[in-house]
Amino acid sequence: MKRILIITPSEISLQAVGAPLMLARLFSGVSPDSLTIVARDIVAPRDSRWHSNALLKYTLGNIRTTMRSVKALTQAAEAVIAKQRPDSILITSDTGSCFIAGYRLAKRYKLPYDLFIFDLWLGNFLKPFDRLLAWVYDRQIFTGARTVFAAGEGLAGHFLRSYGITAVVINNPIPKEAEAPLAIHGSPVGNPPVMLYPGSIYWAQADSIRAVSKALEGTGIELHIYTPQSAEQIARLGIGGRQVKVFPQLPSVEIIQKERASDILLVALSFSRRGRRVLNTASPGKFSEFLASGTPILAVAPAHSFITETSQNRQLALAVPTLDSNEIKAFLQRLLADSTLRKNLATRARQVALAEYTIEINASRLLTALHLYDA
């Protein structure tokens, strides 16, 4: 029996969100005896001050936190290696701690290692010391890996262009509940019509959602945001208005029902210059669920982003490559009024979700490449 040591920044759980939830779904059919997970979730205090003294404190805090995390991961993993003798190491992406710890362990114990990448390391919006680590180590860690798994085609394209690496694409799998049969309607069902955005809002999408909230004025459309953030936190991002409603985050099963019952689903990525490379290659976590929902998607994202390109090329969503509120309003009104467009987009998206985004398809691809079973 093969045994894999997984080094990851957060515990893998079906009750989690984002990358830990994705991994939990992909490994749900694997015997626990085949996997040992080492996780260390250390978060440095946020500090947005960039004048000289604060910047020095900020950078020193970043160095201290990252190296503490590397040390903790290394110590925990060495205990596992000594006791269980894993056959290989799987390193998942983070701001640098897992990469450095996993790479050093693989070299020290002469173990093959694989990488599972959710976002870029080099090119991500990182703190100063983490950015330096990425600049020094990115190429050697990626080119030395046995296999690179990329969470989406946008990331895979980057690795091919940058390092000549043919990554194995592992899409964020839809939960079983999302595969349940549904009817796709051409006409809006809400009164008033509802556009849904589930998830946290931060620099990576705030400007796009802010522009959408302004575009809602006079349309009669409500934007419902389900998020772990408070209404006050969302308002401080400049997102608000009479037609914006903020609700507490819901469990995955309930969000899937909300997605199916909404009139439009919103995907948003920032147009900011910071973090441009990571945004260009990103595939937001909820995108796969949206594809399976039977509800048309509005994708507000830069023209050069993977989300815009795949939305347009594969006719999965109505792409809106602008922050102009008047243009966004026109796209919104078109998506509500054109029943043929709504039905075609939703039907095509669901076909792609069931063909490419199920747990079975993506788990088989991952586990076969990891030699945990033969396809």
Side-chain angles (χ1 to χ4, degrees):
M1 178 180 65
K2 295 287 185 180
R3 186 181 294 276
I4 294 176
L5 171 62
I6 302 177
I7 298 181
T8 179
S10 302
E11 292 292 344
I12 297 172
S13 168
L14 290 171
Q15 282 68 54
V17 295
L21 174 59
M22 178 179 176
L23 288 171
R25 288 172 176 165
L26 290 167
F27 286 116
S28 59
V30 177
S31 167
D33 293 335
S34 294
L35 305 173
T36 300
I37 300 166
V38 172
R40 183 70 175 181
D41 202 353
I42 298 179
V43 180
R46 291 179 179 269
D47 190 342
S48 59
R49 298 167 297 169
W50 287 94
H51 49 83
S52 57
N53 290 338
L55 178 57
L56 178 60
K57 281 186 175 180
Y58 182 89
T59 303
L60 291 175
N62 177 202
I63 295 171
R64 184 170 58 252
T65 300
T66 297
M67 297 316 296
R68 281 176 56 206
S69 184
V70 170
K71 182 179 179 180
L73 285 164
T74 301
Q75 289 176 339
E78 285 185 321
V80 171
I81 292 170
K83 184 177 180 180
Q84 299 184 4
R85 304 292 181 185
D87 298 286
S88 64
I89 298 174
L90 176 64
I91 307 167
T92 69
S93 60
D94 69 335
T95 58
S97 303
C98 292
F99 285 122
I100 300 299
Y103 178 68
R104 288 179 174 177
L105 287 162
K107 292 300 181 184
R108 185 178 303 162
Y109 293 97
K110 296 181 172 53
L111 290 170
Y113 68 93
D114 305 293
L115 302 174
F116 197 129
I117 309 303
F118 302 98
D119 286 307
L120 295 184
W121 186 24
L122 181 63
N124 208 328
F125 186 62
L126 302 172
K127 295 172 184 175
F129 182 64
D130 296 327
R131 196 180 311 133
L132 175 63
L133 287 177
W135 184 78
V136 171
Y137 283 102
D138 193 83
R139 177 179 290 274
Q140 67 190 78
I141 289 178
F142 277 86
T143 55
R146 180 176 61 178
T147 306
V148 175
F149 300 100
E153 295 176 4
L155 275 173
H158 165 82
F159 296 128
L160 183 61
R161 292 188 301 271
S162 299
Y163 299 142
I165 296 171
T166 302
V168 177
V169 175
I170 307 294
N171 292 311
N172 188 11
I174 57 176
K176 283 292 184 180
E177 297 85 357
E179 296 182 41
L182 54 79
I184 295 177
H185 304 286
S187 301
V189 295
N191 186 20
V194 170
M195 177 164 51
L196 179 71
Y197 179 87
S200 298
I201 302 175
Y202 52 102
W203 69 267
Q205 57 285 112
D207 58 349
S208 289
I209 299 178
R210 187 162 51 243
V212 169
S213 69
K214 292 177 182 177
L216 296 178
E217 297 174 7
T219 64
I221 304 169
E222 290 187 352
L223 173 60
H224 289 191
I225 300 172
Y226 287 84
T227 178
Q229 296 156 283
S230 67
E232 291 74 19
Q233 288 174 310
I234 298 300
R236 283 198 292 271
L237 294 171
I239 299 166
R242 290 178 303 169
Q243 291 160 250
V244 177
K245 314 291 183 184
V246 179
F247 302 95
Q249 182 172 279
L250 293 176
S252 177
V253 174
E254 294 181 43
I255 281 293
I256 288 171
Q257 295 305 316
K258 294 287 184 185
E259 291 165 358
R260 292 184 171 203
S262 298
D263 298 295
I264 298 173
L265 302 177
L266 175 62
V267 171
L269 285 178
S270 176
F271 286 69
S272 170
R273 291 183 62 84
R274 65 177 181 176
R276 176 66 60 85
R277 288 175 67 188
V278 72
L279 293 172
N280 285 352
T281 57
S283 182
K286 282 291 179 183
F287 188 58
S288 56
E289 278 186 22
F290 283 9
L291 293 175
S293 69
T295 300
I297 302 166
L298 187 80
V300 182
H304 42 259
S305 67
F306 165 73
I307 282 295
T308 294
E309 291 177 356
T310 195
S311 295
Q312 292 175 328
N313 295 341
R314 304 191 69 182
Q315 300 178 336
L316 302 177
L318 186 60
V320 185
T322 178
L323 286 179
D324 185 282
S325 294
N326 290 325
E327 291 188 46
I328 295 173
K329 181 181 292 188
F331 278 104
L332 272 171
Q333 291 171 331
R334 178 188 171 199
L335 192 53
L336 277 180
D338 191 333
S339 59
T340 301
L341 174 65
R342 291 175 56 82
K343 195 162 188 175
N344 287 346
L345 288 175
T347 300
R348 172 62 180 156
R350 182 157 173 87
Q351 289 171 345
V352 169
L354 296 178
E356 301 175 18
Y357 287 81
T358 64
I359 292 174
E360 288 80 5
I361 290 170
N362 289 282
S364 174
R365 191 179 302 142
L366 172 65
L367 302 182
T368 299
L370 289 174
H371 309 290
L372 286 176
Y373 68 66
D374 297 324

